[in-house]
Amino acid sequence: MKLVFASNNKNKIKEIQLLVPSSIQIVSLEDIGCTEDIPETANTIEGNAILKANYVTQNYGLNCFADDSGLEVDALNGEPGVYSARYAGEPKNDDNNMNKLLLNLKDKNNRKANFKTVICLNINGEQHLFTGIINGKIIEEKIGNNGFGYDPIFVADGYTKTFAELSIEEKSTISHRGIAVKKLVEFLK
């Protein structure tokens, strides 16, 4: 089975390919010749996943799935949430985003947060949503060189290492995206 993953984020594509069986071939936006920036104008993580999947289905007529993810911090009323990738503004910059988040949490004792991923699958004229959430906390400084986004400042509940200290294989088995992809794979089977 060939399935378009509506992303050009090479890190995400790598994570997803590790999680799906070899019988499912993941094809990127670049592979189908989609070079335009797909609008992410919804005000929810679910909404953005749906927008991206619908864009590919409507413009390319292909079965596909799209994801959107966000970091939701309790003490910041769920921020950065849907704006996680652009929290510190344009252009997207992981370090600037983390610095802004750490600054906004400076005087806060509650460091609880969660990563949330929603996958929207458009297949054979039907739409399905799969959600993955991992709870944890934001630490006070960046640790680790793996991963991307907020990985260097997020420690999942039950763990002592940040996502950026885990290998891609370790992270993908416990992460929000990993949980959502497992649900997607179960459905596809």
Side-chain angles (χ1 to χ4, degrees), residues 11-31:
N11 291 310
K12 276 188 189 182
I13 294 166
K14 227 188 282 181
E15 271 187 26
I16 299 273
Q17 281 178 327
L18 283 172
L19 295 166
V20 300
S22 56
S23 58
I24 300 172
Q25 184 190 350
I26 301 297
V27 179
S28 72
L29 289 175
E30 187 180 3
D31 295 331

Side-chain angles (χ1 to χ4, degrees), residues 59-80:
N59 291 288
Y60 294 87
L62 298 168
N63 287 334
C64 75
F65 68 99
D67 82 323
D68 197 38
S69 299
L71 176 68
E72 300 172 327
V73 180
D74 289 8
L76 301 177
N77 300 315
E79 277 186 18

Side-chain angles (χ1 to χ4, degrees), residues 42-54:
N43 58 5
T44 64
I45 292 169
E46 293 85 352
N48 277 338
I50 291 167
L51 279 176
K52 290 189 272 189
N54 287 349

